[in-house]
Structures are given as structure tokens and as C-alpha cells.
Amino acid sequence: MQKILENALEIGRKYIPEGECASYIPELAKADKNHLGVCIRTRGMETFSAGDTKERFTIQSISKVITLMVALQHCGFNKVFEKMNMEPSGDAFNSLVKLDLTSDKPFNPMINAGAITTAGYLVPDVSFEDMLNYARRLCLDKDIVMDEKVFRSEMDHCARNRAIAYLLQSKGILESDVEKSLELYTRMCSLSVTAESLAGLGLVLSNGGRHPETGERLIDKYAVQVAKTIMLTCGMYDGSGEFAVRVGIPSKSGVGGGILAVVEKRMGIGIYGPALNEKGNSIGGSHVLEYLSKELNLHMFAAEQ
Amino acid sequence: MQKILENALEIGRKYIPEGECASYIPELAKADKNHLGVCIRTRGMETFSAGDTKERFTIQSISKVITLMVALQHCGFNKVFEKMNMEPSGDAFNSLVKLDLTSDKPFNPMINAGAITTAGYLVPDVSFEDMLNYARRLCLDKDIVMDEKVFRSEMDHCARNRAIAYLLQSKGILESDVEKSLELYTRMCSLSVTAESLAGLGLVLSNGGRHPETGERLIDKYAVQVAKTIMLTCGMYDGSGEFAVRVGIPSKSGVGGGILAVVEKRMGIGIYGPALNEKGNSIGGSHVLEYLSKELNLHMFAAEQ
Amino acid sequence: MQKILENALEIGRKYIPEGECASYIPELAKADKNHLGVCIRTRGMETFSAGDTKERFTIQSISKVITLMVALQHCGFNKVFEKMNMEPSGDAFNSLVKLDLTSDKPFNPMINAGAITTAGYLVPDVSFEDMLNYARRLCLDKDIVMDEKVFRSEMDHCARNRAIAYLLQSKGILESDVEKSLELYTRMCSLSVTAESLAGLGLVLSNGGRHPETGERLIDKYAVQVAKTIMLTCGMYDGSGEFAVRVGIPSKSGVGGGILAVVEKRMGIGIYGPALNEKGNSIGGSHVLEYLSKELNLHMFAAEQ
Amino acid sequence: MQKILENALEIGRKYIPEGECASYIPELAKADKNHLGVCIRTRGMETFSAGDTKERFTIQSISKVITLMVALQHCGFNKVFEKMNMEPSGDAFNSLVKLDLTSDKPFNPMINAGAITTAGYLVPDVSFEDMLNYARRLCLDKDIVMDEKVFRSEMDHCARNRAIAYLLQSKGILESDVEKSLELYTRMCSLSVTAESLAGLGLVLSNGGRHPETGERLIDKYAVQVAKTIMLTCGMYDGSGEFAVRVGIPSKSGVGGGILAVVEKRMGIGIYGPALNEKGNSIGGSHVLEYLSKELNLHMFAAEQ
């Protein structure tokens, strides 16, 4: 297994020169684009790591998975999807177009409009401290904190998300305080994780929401089922469809360079690689996952060998 | 002439039942939809009125014409149109779609995105008091004040415009303070005018920006030329093209029920009729203008008799 | 199992009054909207049927799955996806919008633009007779024929598909003869199947493309893997995302009222129910599948019991 | 006047290097991009020419003006605009987007969708020979013929227009024979004119549709009024708004390099300059017209001197 991970990294690294770190906020642009790491945590409680798996980076959009699950547990499926759909949008991740054309609901909870809506469901009942605790437990990583610098940088450059949030308010979708919802959303994006944390989160999700050792229920099992499905159809921005075909593992990427991947009933995989492709997904990480999927037969519809 | 105005009103009134007052803010919904008035002020300094021409109502989008002209005078043509186009959008007046798809500039200064951008050019140099004085002088009506109730009501329901403003900021188009630009824009929309004030404004514009009696220059003549042209192509929301064909007079409507019409070198026409058609234009007023255009041969391309 | 199927039908039938048969071609409008049938064929070679499972109807869009697999086998993955993506479109099934906005490629092979492109890959090498034979073998139903009346009716009302096909030609995507590609596409849509045929097709796909009894390879296994993934993300028109969440089984619907569902490594399910919901999917059939998914724990991410 | 024309050409020529000849059909790409000519014909029956005003080129989209006027005369205003609007689209000239999003009507008769619809109103009553005669009389140029080579080349590369035409049929907008309507439309685009012919057409339009010498009515006067208005709002593709502001003369351009301009009650102007700007308008010609408008005070809202 270790050898396979090393090979995967080697292949992934070849694509790094074609990618770029996110640059829309100055803090993200400071990442070292050559970093690449992959961590696998299995239901047999083995951990395999290669590359930069201890490096901390901000979770960014991967936090949408956590926020969605907590909202599902807190408010229930019907409430969460009363004013939001669960359809892939076919558009870039920060587009306003679809929201406006259809003039009713955000397409899904993985796009910014949907994630801000989801954050609004939690305001004011669930505090950021509550959410931080959820993140620590679900990622099996008690060291997660919020990266204050990234958070400040994001808040200083959030005009587009603020526009989305006020548009949601104008449509009666976001009923909580706009600025508080936006802040909670942005704080969650600024959580500082490692590839290992994401592998931990993936392992918990592959295990239906239970702690892999203790069996303790960490999050509602139906919330996990819904989250995994939406990761599959909407998790990799507007490259989700092709990723499902090529890799076939429910995954969620963030512009910080992370990818969370959940191999049903088998393992969690966490990736860090801040050089992004044109869809906003870690370019090295995507190739690592494609390689692992083939080598380890992880595609959900892989033919029997 | 008086008889023609009376006939025009009679025809316009027939369409009132098909229209509705604007309802997106509570204060506007309180208007009496049966009001209808038309005032003509000629370059010969005659004034003809019929119907509710002394009734005060808020100027709403017609203020975009004033703001545009002041911005052109204040900043110059190149600055105003550096980050804004002058093309009809083909979309409804408060749409975000076009701004996002083309991802660069507001389509024109008559849509909300463009008017907020234009207001931003004036902040902080030109105060609202300055603008109020411009409005009073250009409309030949020193009694114009801001309707405080409408202004408050608008600010309480401006989430969509706020979304537009932050989107403009995120694109680097709106560089002034967002909240101050939005406030100036909204204050201008809340000016309280009459059909007579609008006829006065129309007269000044038909006269190239000079006071019709004193000959004093009230606003830059090129600003007037530009404003009249943009009124013609973009002044009646997404009904501008058909209005140009049927009426052929540069006009600008507001959801408060007003219409400003400028008959080149001949007269200004002001209308008040708060029942709106589905495009957001005074339904009675549009028919009044169509009738007047035919009876008085006002179409810019009317064949010689 | 039989009892569960009966219950499923009972639930599905309750929704029929809310649905309507497709009416865009006269022949489809003649269907009896009260028909509803479900057939399950398992890898243990058991067949369970309830309701109208022997009724013949046209396969319509479900044929896109067959065409895609044959094209993948015939031309290879790279050729098929050289000028076509594999992303959900977020739009209605017969929309031209996306194709035009992005100005390059059809979104995926399950929308009309993509399926016509796919048909074009087969013209002129693969004849309709070849395709008919594929359909018969893959559906384990040698009685499949083309419904001549539906085919004629479709050809008489295919202006929109013809528009799509010429648009594809104008973009250099469809390089084969336009009319021949359109005809092959339309012939495939007119294949006359039963719920049982679709269960057969589902069984073969759940078995990775091999005949469930003889083990004979009927279609390339990678083509099957790709087809199942795309069914999951794009198979139920713009309701695919919600269907994946609620049902969690790769499925493909047709406006003739059929649904093909593939439960990985376990069974194929075929549905017939011509009353459609507003997305174009069998309304009774969708509810039948949702019920079966829950009762039989068929969701791909169902928590362990 | 002659001096002014020479100066105008000199200015226009400076921009030619920034433009490109239309290349979507091979025949158009063969034009000499350095050609530039301007012809003015006044109501006083004077003709002023400078540059390449005898050069023949295909009229292309300028024919839409002729077709619209004949359709208005033949079918009446209400019929022509029953299934077509008169609004600027805000989109590029050959876009399908708007037609599909709004899902009802072409935006105006100056875009391809609208012009094909208009041609359909004439089929089969008005033959191409009839239309050719209209063109000859309206342009005061009896030598106009169809350029057979361009026509063949266009028909060989008309997949996009064919797509538009079938889309129009699928929406019930184009009720005449699709191929015949498309052919009539394409034949009209292939008429071979000169800058002088266009100046003649402009003169007739500036004269309300009467022959400038004999006073004979050549086309209905209301048709002329409508055509001039639509030229003003929609005549220069998606640069129409800016052109109206900068030039202020109802004009129509074609990708063959021609521009028709109508100075109300004063003159017709014809331009030839096949190097196009990014909007599809003659780049030299646009600058020639802007210069002439300023020098000769031709802007419809030009301030009194």
C-alpha cells in the first residue's frame, strides 16, 4: 500500500506545474504549490501516509460537507431542502447566474449560495464553537483551529459572497441575519486541517457517521448518506461529473487544496495539494485519486476483477 | 391642445384596470392606482395640464437620468463609461444575470447595476444636498424634497440592490463605499415630484440643458445629448424597443408611476399614473404618450404630413 | 418480495393523478396514464413482476444508455468524450441554452444534444440493424422491434432535435451526416420494450456487461462502468441529483414512461408508468423506486442495518 | 463637403489594421480589408463620394431592413410582430440563447432569428425576384444582382441559421417551409451592392419611402418609420446602444462591410469597409460615421449650434 501511495504521489506531482494556487485572497496565494500529500485511514484502523500530510491548510469548501450534515441533524431534511435543491448546477462554483435565472432556490448545498443558506439555518442556534467541536470530532483531529489570518483575509475579500447572501435574503431564502450567516460560513471555510484530518473525516463518513474505534455515533446516519450522495454529484465543482466517471468516489474539494474522499465501507482518503486545475480542484490530488481508484479498485461501479 | 390631453387621459384610463401599483415596497403599494395625469410644457413657455398633475409621488428610476447627467458633467464621458456600457440589456430592470454572464460591466446606466455604479462616481464628492439642488433646478420645481417614508421603506427592502452593489464591488466596478453609494442611489429614487416637475425636466432636456426662459445653462449640453439617447434605447426597461417604435420619444419611466418624455426642440411631457404594466412602466401613461405621439406627430421619425 | 412489489405499486399509483403523459408527439399522448408496472430480475436469475410489465412502450431516452455503451465500445472513451462532456447540465432535457452559452460541447450523453452527437459517432459504420441487435441482446429480449408509428410521429415533430443537430454541425461537433444521425437517434428512441426488457438490461449492467446466465460478454465492461456513473449523475433529467439522494440507484428514464435502474452487483429493475412528473420522469415509477430503495436497502450509500 | 469626406476616410483608415474581414464563409474572407468608401446622397439630389464607393460587396444583414419593410407592407404591423418582438437583445447577432431562454419570440427583426422569421412571412407569396426588384428600386440601383458564389458559399455554411430556423419551427414561430424561408433569407443576404446603393437606400428612407426625385411612393411610409426606429435600437448588433450615443443616426451594418445610415429628412449615407470590429460592424466605417456626425451635426439629439 505504501508503495502505491508513493507511486500515486509521483504521478500527481507531474501535473503540479499545470496548476495554480487560488489567488482570490492573498493568504491562499501564499501556499507552496509544490506541496502534495495523501493519507488513507481504513476501517481496520490502519493509517497510510505519503507526502505532506501533516501540513495545515484551510478546509475551505470541504467545510460545506460538515455544515450540511450538522444542518440536516439540527433541522431535518425537509427544512434544509425546503428552499434549496440538490441538483448539480452545471456552473462554476461562485456563479450567481443559476440562482437568478431560476429565481427561486440555490442549486445545491455545495455551491456558495447553498452553503450560505445552510449556514443561515444554524444561525443563531448553533455557534461557531459548536461547529468547531463538530469539525474536531468528525475529523478525529482535536487540534483543528480557525486560521485567524485567512479568516480576516476572506472577510476583507468577500464582496461576492456578500452579494450572494443579500440576493438570498431578497428572495426570502436566507432568513437569518445576513452578516452573521456570512461570518459563520467564512469561519467554517477558515478551519485549519491536514490531509490526515480529511482522511479521518472520510473514515467516519465511510463508517456511516460512527467513530471507527468506539462505534460512538458522531453524526446522524441519514445526514451522512445524503452528504455522500451530494458529494458524488456536486462535490468537485463543475468537474463533478467527469470526476465521478474517472474516479467514482464521493469527494469534496476546497480551493485551499484539500480533497476529502469517502470509499464506502472501506476507507477515508485525505489529500493536500494547493495547485488547482481550472475547475478549482487540486490538480495533483485529482490525479492521485484517479490512480488510487484504478490501482485499488475503488470506483463505486468498478467491475469485479 | 387641452382637448387632446383630455382625450389622451380618457384613453389611458381604460388600461388602468389591467395594471398594478408596484408592491415590492409597502409605501409604493399605497398609491391610488386610478391616478393619471399629464402635463406638457413647451419651449414657447406654455403649460398644459390634465388630470392628477399636482399629485406628489417618488421619482424612482427617472432619477437615473439626473444622476447620469451630473456624473457626466462631474467626471466626464470617458470616466463614466470606463466600467459601464451603454447597451440595452434585453433583461428585466433588476436582473443580475447579464452582469454575471458577461462578467465585466453593467449594461447601461438605466438599470439598477448601472445607476448604482453611477452614484458611486459621485460619492463622496457630490453630496445628496447637491443632487437635490440639481433636481430642483432641472425640474424647474424648487419644492422637490425627499420622501422620508419611502426612503426608509426602500432601505428596509433593498437586499437585491445591496446584492448588486456588492457584486459590483467584487468586480472592481464600484470603488466607492458600497453602503454610501447605495444610500445616495436610494435617496435619489425617493425624491418627491409631480407630473409638472417631470414636464419641466423634459423641457430643459428638449432645450439642450438650458433654462427655457433665462437661457441659463443648467447642465452640460453633451450630458443632455447622451442622456436623451440612452433614454431612447434603454429608458422604458425591457419595453424600450417597442416604446421607441410605437411612441418614438426619448422617455424614462419609474415604478412610482412617473414618465419623463422629451420631444426634441419642442416640449417636455410629464406623466403620473402609478398602475404599471408587466414591464414596470405606467400603463395608462404609456397609452397617453402613444396617443399624443400620433395626434401631435411627435415620433422622431414621423413622416411629414 | 412479491408483497413488497405490490405495496410499491400501490404507493406509486397514488401519484399518477398528478402526472401527465408526454404530449409533444401525438403517438405518446395516446398512452394509458394509469398503467404502472415494475419488474425485478436478480443475479440469482429470479424474476419478480407486478402490474403492467408485459405492456410494450417506446424506450425513448433510455436508448441513450445503449447508444453510449456501443459508441464507447466502438470508438473508445477518448473519441466519445473528445467533443462532449460528462457533466450534469442543470437544465431541462431539451434545452439549447447550455450548448450555446458555453459554445463548445454538449454537457453529457444523456441530453439530446449529447445523444445525437453519440449517434453521429456510429454513423455510418454501425447500422440501425446492428443497434437493434445490441438492444435485443442487452435487454435479454429478442422481441424488441421499432415502433414504426412512433418513429414516424417523432420524425414529423423533430424540429427541435433537428435544430440541435444543425447547431452541433455548425460547431464542428457533429461531423457525420446530420439527417442520418438524427434518424438513427430517433429510431433508437422508438424501440418498443417492456418493463421486463428494462429489468433485463439493468441485470446485464449490474453484472458488468455479461450475460447473467451464460457469462458471455455482451458489452465492454468499462463502457458499462461509465454508463452507470453517468446514469447516476445525469440519468433522470434535471431531477437527477434529488433522485440520487432519495433513491441512490443509477437510473435512466424516458418520456415513454420507462425507467431502467441498476442495483450494483444485485439486480436490474424495469418500470413502466407513462404518467410523468414535471421533470419528465415517470411519476409513479419514481415513487416505486424510492419505496423499493428503502424497503430493500438499495441506496448505494445506505447505512448498514 | 468633399473635404470632410476625405478627412473622414483618413480617420477611418487608421482603424482598419485593428479589424478583420468576416471569415465564417470563405467568400467573405476574400475581401480586401483595406477598402473603404463613403457616399452621401442628399435630398437636394447631390451625391458626394470618397474612396471605394463603386466596389460591389454583399449586402448581408442590411437586407434585413428591406425584408422587414416589405413584410410590414405585405402583412401589416400586427402580423409581423405577432410572433416577434422589437427589443434589443443585448446578445451577439447569431446567438440562440435569448430565443431559448425566453422560449417564445425572436427579440427583433435585425437578429438572424428575427430575419428568418420575417422571410418566412413572405414565403411563398413574395418571390425572390419580387424582393430583388424591391431592392433595386429602394436602393436606386437597377444593377443589383445576387452574388451566386457568395450565395452558394453561405448555403454550404448555414448550419447555424438552419438550426435557428428549425428551432423557430419547433416553437411554432416559423410556419412557412423552413428550407424555403432559409433560402430566401440567404439570397437576400447575397445581394451585391455598392456604398452608393446604400446611400440611395438611405436617401429613400430619409424621404419617408418616396423616390427623392419623382416623389413616387416606393414603400409604405409607416414601414419606413418602424424600420428606422428599429435600426436605431438594434441596427449595429450588440454595439447599437453605443453607436446611438456616439453617432446618433439610425444605421444598419452587414458583415460584408456595408453600413446604411439614414439622416432624417436630410440624407442617406452608404459605407463600404470590410474590416470589421469585434461587434461585427465595419471598423473604418463606424469611425467615418462618428466623424461625419460631429462635423455635420448629424446626431439626432445634437445640441443647436
Side-chain angles (χ1 to χ4, degrees):
Chain A
M1 175 72 99
Q2 192 62 36
K3 181 64 187 150
I4 290 175
L5 286 192
E6 301 292 348
N7 289 346
L9 276 196
E10 200 174 321
I11 285 167
R13 281 200 192 98
K14 287 186 196 149
Y15 294 91
I16 289 177
E18 299 170 29
E20 288 301 333
C21 293
S23 59
Y24 69 99
I25 65 164
E27 279 302 315
L28 289 180
K30 292 182 188 163
D32 178 347
K33 74 178 268 193
N34 290 311
H35 276 156
L36 190 62
V38 54
C39 176
I40 290 183
R41 301 190 64 174
T42 71
R43 277 177 74 174
M45 291 314 291
E46 286 184 294
T47 298
F48 303 93
S49 294
D52 308 300
T53 57
K54 302 286 188 189
E55 199 71 31
R56 294 245 159 221
F57 57 94
T58 51
I59 192 168
Q60 297 298 339
S61 287
I62 304 170
S63 67
K64 289 166 180 165
V65 175
I66 298 174
T67 307
L68 172 62
M69 291 190 299
V70 175
L72 284 167
Q73 177 165 293
H74 186 70
C75 312
F77 182 86
N78 290 339
K79 171 69 185 162
V80 168
F81 292 107
E82 186 190 340
K83 297 186 173 177
M84 179 161 56
N85 289 321
M86 19 190 159
E87 298 304 325
S89 73
D91 284 320
F93 69 100
N94 57 356
S95 174
L96 290 174
V97 178
K98 282 288 177 175
L99 186 61
D100 206 57
L101 279 179
T102 61
S103 82
D104 50 358
K105 301 173 173 184
F107 259 64
N108 66 65
M110 297 294 115
I111 58 172
N112 288 15
I116 294 167
T117 300
T118 309
Y121 290 136
L122 300 175
V123 168
D125 293 4
V126 182
S127 69
F128 171 65
E129 285 63 40
D130 297 336
M131 292 304 294
L132 179 59
N133 283 327
Y134 270 113
R136 287 171 174 170
R137 269 180 288 136
L138 288 166
C139 293
L140 309 174
D141 176 0
K142 64 185 191 323
D143 296 335
I144 294 174
V145 292
M146 193 187 76
D147 184 321
E148 193 69 40
K149 264 190 176 168
V150 170
F151 172 64
R152 289 297 151 206
S153 190
E154 299 249 10
M155 288 305 287
D156 289 348
H157 297 82
C158 72
R160 188 173 184 88
N161 282 337
R162 186 169 271 127
I164 291 173
Y166 281 106
L167 184 61
L168 290 166
Q169 185 190 46
S170 78
K171 290 175 181 288
I173 293 167
L174 180 53
E175 296 178 299
S176 301
D177 183 273
V178 169
E179 294 292 337
K180 288 209 174 79
S181 301
L182 189 62
E183 186 183 320
L184 179 58
Y185 167 80
T186 311
R187 282 186 181 277
M188 288 302 291
C189 288
S190 307
L191 294 180
S192 183
V193 296
T194 63
E196 219 173 281
S197 330
L198 297 180
L201 176 55
L203 176 55
V204 169
L205 297 190
S206 83
N207 200 26
R210 288 186 186 280
H211 192 286
E213 282 188 297
T214 68
E216 184 198 355
R217 174 147 303 287
L218 300 176
I219 192 85
D220 179 69
K221 80 178 176 187
Y222 187 61
V224 174
Q225 177 179 319
V226 170
K228 285 186 289 199
T229 310
I230 292 178
M231 286 166 66
L232 190 63
T233 55
C234 315
M236 301 297 279
Y237 304 122
D238 53 331
S240 300
E242 182 163 349
F243 191 86
V245 168
R246 290 185 182 276
V247 180
I249 305 172
S251 302
K252 181 74 201 86
S253 62
V255 293
I259 306 180
L260 155 72
V262 182
V263 185
E264 187 64 3
K265 298 186 174 57
R266 290 172 68 182
M267 64 182 70
I269 307 177
I271 303 261
Y272 174 54
L276 308 180
N277 63 21
E278 79 287 352
K279 304 282 190 187
N281 301 315
S282 171
I283 191 165
S286 298
H287 285 280
V288 165
L289 281 169
E290 189 170 349
Y291 179 82
L292 292 177
S293 174
K294 273 176 196 140
E295 286 301 305
L296 301 172
N297 216 33
L298 305 179
H299 195 293
M300 59 185 170
F301 300 130
E304 286 153 277
Q305 302 291 294
Chain B
M1 175 71 98
Q2 192 63 33
K3 181 63 189 154
I4 288 173
L5 287 192
E6 300 291 348
N7 288 347
L9 276 196
E10 200 175 320
I11 283 166
R13 281 200 193 99
K14 285 187 195 149
Y15 294 90
I16 290 177
E18 297 169 29
E20 289 301 333
C21 291
S23 59
Y24 70 97
I25 65 162
E27 278 304 313
L28 289 180
K30 291 181 187 163
D32 178 347
K33 74 179 267 193
N34 290 311
H35 276 156
L36 190 61
V38 54
C39 176
I40 289 183
R41 300 190 67 173
T42 71
R43 278 177 75 174
M45 290 315 289
E46 284 184 296
T47 298
F48 304 92
S49 294
D52 307 302
T53 56
K54 302 285 189 190
E55 199 70 31
R56 294 244 159 222
F57 57 94
T58 50
I59 192 170
Q60 298 298 338
S61 288
I62 303 169
S63 66
K64 289 166 180 165
V65 176
I66 299 174
T67 307
L68 172 62
M69 290 190 300
V70 175
L72 284 167
Q73 177 165 293
H74 186 70
C75 313
F77 183 85
N78 291 339
K79 171 71 185 162
V80 168
F81 291 107
E82 184 191 341
K83 298 185 173 179
M84 178 160 57
N85 290 321
M86 19 191 158
E87 297 304 325
S89 73
D91 284 321
F93 70 101
N94 57 357
S95 176
L96 289 173
V97 178
K98 282 288 176 176
L99 185 61
D100 206 57
L101 279 179
T102 62
S103 83
D104 50 357
K105 300 173 173 183
F107 260 65
N108 66 66
M110 297 294 116
I111 60 171
N112 288 14
I116 294 168
T117 299
T118 310
Y121 290 135
L122 300 175
V123 168
D125 294 3
V126 182
S127 69
F128 171 66
E129 283 64 39
D130 297 336
M131 292 303 294
L132 179 58
N133 282 328
Y134 271 113
R136 286 172 175 169
R137 269 179 290 135
L138 288 166
C139 293
L140 309 176
D141 175 1
K142 63 185 193 323
D143 295 335
I144 293 176
V145 292
M146 192 187 76
D147 184 320
E148 193 68 41
K149 264 191 175 166
V150 169
F151 172 63
R152 290 296 150 207
S153 191
E154 299 249 11
M155 288 304 288
D156 288 348
H157 296 82
C158 71
R160 189 174 183 87
N161 283 337
R162 185 168 272 127
I164 290 172
Y166 280 106
L167 185 61
L168 290 166
Q169 184 188 48
S170 78
K171 289 174 181 290
I173 294 167
L174 180 53
E175 295 178 299
S176 300
D177 184 273
V178 169
E179 293 293 334
K180 287 209 175 79
S181 302
L182 189 62
E183 187 183 319
L184 179 58
Y185 167 80
T186 311
R187 281 186 182 278
M188 288 301 291
C189 288
S190 307
L191 294 181
S192 185
V193 295
T194 63
E196 221 174 279
S197 331
L198 297 180
L201 177 55
L203 176 55
V204 169
L205 298 189
S206 82
N207 200 27
R210 290 187 185 277
H211 191 288
E213 282 187 297
T214 68
E216 182 197 359
R217 175 147 302 288
L218 300 176
I219 191 88
D220 179 70
K221 81 177 174 186
Y222 187 62
V224 174
Q225 178 180 320
V226 170
K228 285 187 289 198
T229 311
I230 292 179
M231 285 167 66
L232 190 64
T233 55
C234 315
M236 301 296 280
Y237 303 122
D238 53 331
S240 300
E242 181 163 349
F243 190 86
V245 168
R246 291 184 182 276
V247 180
I249 304 172
S251 302
K252 180 74 199 88
S253 62
V255 293
I259 306 180
L260 156 71
V262 182
V263 185
E264 186 64 4
K265 299 186 174 53
R266 289 172 68 183
M267 64 181 71
I269 307 177
I271 302 262
Y272 174 52
L276 308 179
N277 64 22
E278 80 288 350
K279 304 283 190 187
N281 301 316
S282 171
I283 191 166
S286 298
H287 285 280
V288 165
L289 280 169
E290 189 171 348
Y291 179 83
L292 292 178
S293 174
K294 273 176 197 141
E295 286 301 304
L296 302 173
N297 216 32
L298 305 179
H299 194 293
M300 58 186 170
F301 300 130
E304 287 154 277
Q305 300 293 294
Chain C
M1 177 70 99
Q2 192 63 36
K3 181 63 188 153
I4 289 173
L5 287 192
E6 300 292 349
N7 288 346
L9 276 196
E10 200 174 321
I11 284 166
R13 282 200 191 99
K14 286 186 193 149
Y15 294 90
I16 290 177
E18 298 169 27
E20 289 301 333
C21 292
S23 59
Y24 70 97
I25 65 163
E27 278 302 314
L28 289 180
K30 291 181 187 163
D32 178 348
K33 73 178 268 193
N34 290 310
H35 276 156
L36 191 61
V38 54
C39 176
I40 289 181
R41 301 190 65 173
T42 71
R43 279 178 71 176
M45 292 313 291
E46 285 184 295
T47 298
F48 304 92
S49 294
D52 307 300
T53 56
K54 302 287 188 189
E55 199 71 30
R56 294 244 160 222
F57 58 95
T58 51
I59 192 169
Q60 299 296 340
S61 287
I62 304 170
S63 66
K64 289 166 180 164
V65 176
I66 299 173
T67 307
L68 171 62
M69 292 191 298
V70 175
L72 284 167
Q73 177 166 293
H74 187 70
C75 313
F77 181 86
N78 291 339
K79 171 71 184 161
V80 168
F81 291 107
E82 186 191 340
K83 297 185 174 180
M84 178 161 56
N85 290 320
M86 14 188 164
E87 298 303 325
S89 73
D91 284 320
F93 70 100
N94 57 357
S95 176
L96 290 174
V97 178
K98 283 287 178 176
L99 185 60
D100 204 58
L101 279 178
T102 62
S103 82
D104 50 357
K105 301 173 173 184
F107 260 65
N108 66 66
M110 297 294 115
I111 58 172
N112 289 14
I116 293 167
T117 299
T118 311
Y121 290 135
L122 300 174
V123 169
D125 293 5
V126 182
S127 69
F128 171 65
E129 284 63 40
D130 297 335
M131 292 303 293
L132 179 59
N133 283 327
Y134 271 113
R136 287 172 175 169
R137 268 181 289 135
L138 288 166
C139 293
L140 309 175
D141 175 2
K142 63 185 191 325
D143 296 335
I144 293 174
V145 292
M146 193 188 75
D147 184 320
E148 193 68 41
K149 264 190 177 167
V150 169
F151 172 64
R152 288 296 151 208
S153 190
E154 300 249 9
M155 289 305 288
D156 289 348
H157 296 82
C158 72
R160 187 173 185 88
N161 282 337
R162 186 169 271 127
I164 290 171
Y166 281 107
L167 184 62
L168 291 166
Q169 185 189 44
S170 77
K171 290 175 181 288
I173 294 167
L174 180 53
E175 295 179 298
S176 300
D177 184 273
V178 169
E179 294 292 335
K180 288 211 173 78
S181 302
L182 189 62
E183 186 183 320
L184 179 59
Y185 167 79
T186 311
R187 282 187 181 277
M188 287 302 290
C189 288
S190 307
L191 294 181
S192 184
V193 296
T194 64
E196 221 174 278
S197 330
L198 297 180
L201 176 55
L203 176 55
V204 169
L205 297 190
S206 83
N207 200 26
R210 288 187 186 279
H211 191 287
E213 282 187 298
T214 67
E216 182 197 356
R217 174 147 304 286
L218 301 175
I219 192 86
D220 178 69
K221 81 178 175 186
Y222 187 62
V224 174
Q225 177 180 320
V226 170
K228 285 186 289 199
T229 310
I230 292 178
M231 285 167 66
L232 191 63
T233 54
C234 317
M236 300 297 279
Y237 303 122
D238 53 331
S240 299
E242 182 164 349
F243 191 86
V245 168
R246 292 184 181 277
V247 179
I249 305 171
S251 301
K252 181 74 201 87
S253 61
V255 293
I259 305 180
L260 156 71
V262 182
V263 185
E264 187 63 5
K265 299 186 174 54
R266 290 171 68 182
M267 64 180 72
I269 307 177
I271 303 262
Y272 174 53
L276 307 179
N277 63 22
E278 79 287 351
K279 304 283 190 185
N281 300 315
S282 171
I283 191 166
S286 298
H287 285 281
V288 164
L289 279 169
E290 188 171 349
Y291 179 84
L292 291 178
S293 174
K294 273 177 195 140
E295 286 301 304
L296 302 172
N297 216 34
L298 305 179
H299 194 293
M300 58 185 170
F301 299 131
E304 287 154 277
Q305 300 292 293
Chain D
M1 175 71 99
Q2 192 62 36
K3 180 65 188 153
I4 289 174
L5 287 192
E6 300 292 347
N7 288 346
L9 276 196
E10 200 174 321
I11 285 167
R13 280 201 192 98
K14 287 187 194 149
Y15 294 91
I16 289 176
E18 299 169 29
E20 289 300 333
C21 292
S23 59
Y24 70 98
I25 66 164
E27 279 303 314
L28 289 180
K30 292 181 189 163
D32 178 348
K33 73 179 268 193
N34 290 311
H35 276 156
L36 189 62
V38 55
C39 177
I40 289 183
R41 300 190 65 173
T42 70
R43 280 178 71 175
M45 291 315 290
E46 287 184 295
T47 298
F48 304 92
S49 294
D52 308 301
T53 57
K54 303 285 188 189
E55 199 71 30
R56 294 243 159 224
F57 58 94
T58 51
I59 191 169
Q60 298 298 337
S61 287
I62 305 170
S63 67
K64 289 165 180 166
V65 176
I66 299 174
T67 307
L68 171 62
M69 291 190 299
V70 175
L72 283 167
Q73 177 165 293
H74 186 72
C75 313
F77 183 85
N78 291 339
K79 171 70 186 161
V80 168
F81 290 108
E82 186 191 340
K83 298 185 173 179
M84 178 161 55
N85 290 320
M86 14 188 163
E87 298 304 326
S89 73
D91 284 320
F93 71 99
N94 57 357
S95 175
L96 289 173
V97 178
K98 282 288 177 177
L99 185 62
D100 205 57
L101 280 179
T102 61
S103 82
D104 48 359
K105 300 174 174 182
F107 259 64
N108 66 66
M110 296 295 116
I111 59 172
N112 289 15
I116 294 168
T117 299
T118 310
Y121 290 136
L122 300 175
V123 168
D125 293 5
V126 181
S127 69
F128 171 66
E129 284 65 39
D130 297 335
M131 292 304 294
L132 179 58
N133 282 326
Y134 271 113
R136 288 172 174 169
R137 269 179 290 135
L138 289 166
C139 294
L140 309 175
D141 175 0
K142 63 184 191 326
D143 296 335
I144 293 174
V145 292
M146 193 187 76
D147 183 320
E148 192 70 39
K149 264 192 177 166
V150 170
F151 172 64
R152 289 297 150 207
S153 190
E154 300 249 11
M155 288 305 288
D156 287 348
H157 296 82
C158 72
R160 188 172 185 88
N161 283 337
R162 186 169 270 129
I164 290 172
Y166 280 107
L167 185 61
L168 291 167
Q169 184 189 46
S170 78
K171 290 175 181 289
I173 293 167
L174 180 53
E175 294 178 299
S176 300
D177 184 273
V178 169
E179 294 293 336
K180 288 209 174 80
S181 302
L182 189 62
E183 187 183 320
L184 179 58
Y185 166 80
T186 311
R187 281 186 182 279
M188 288 302 290
C189 289
S190 307
L191 293 181
S192 184
V193 296
T194 63
E196 221 174 278
S197 331
L198 296 180
L201 177 55
L203 175 56
V204 169
L205 297 190
S206 82
N207 201 26
R210 288 187 187 279
H211 192 287
E213 283 187 296
T214 66
E216 183 196 356
R217 175 148 301 289
L218 300 175
I219 192 85
D220 178 70
K221 79 176 177 189
Y222 187 62
V224 174
Q225 177 180 318
V226 170
K228 285 187 288 198
T229 310
I230 292 178
M231 286 167 66
L232 190 64
T233 55
C234 315
M236 300 297 279
Y237 304 123
D238 53 331
S240 300
E242 182 164 348
F243 190 86
V245 168
R246 291 185 181 276
V247 180
I249 305 171
S251 302
K252 181 74 201 88
S253 62
V255 293
I259 305 181
L260 156 72
V262 182
V263 185
E264 187 64 3
K265 299 186 175 51
R266 291 171 67 182
M267 63 181 72
I269 308 176
I271 302 261
Y272 174 53
L276 306 180
N277 64 21
E278 79 288 350
K279 305 282 190 187
N281 300 315
S282 171
I283 192 166
S286 298
H287 285 280
V288 165
L289 280 170
E290 189 171 347
Y291 179 83
L292 292 178
S293 174
K294 274 177 195 139
E295 287 300 305
L296 302 173
N297 216 34
L298 304 179
H299 195 293
M300 59 185 170
F301 300 130
E304 287 153 278
Q305 301 292 294

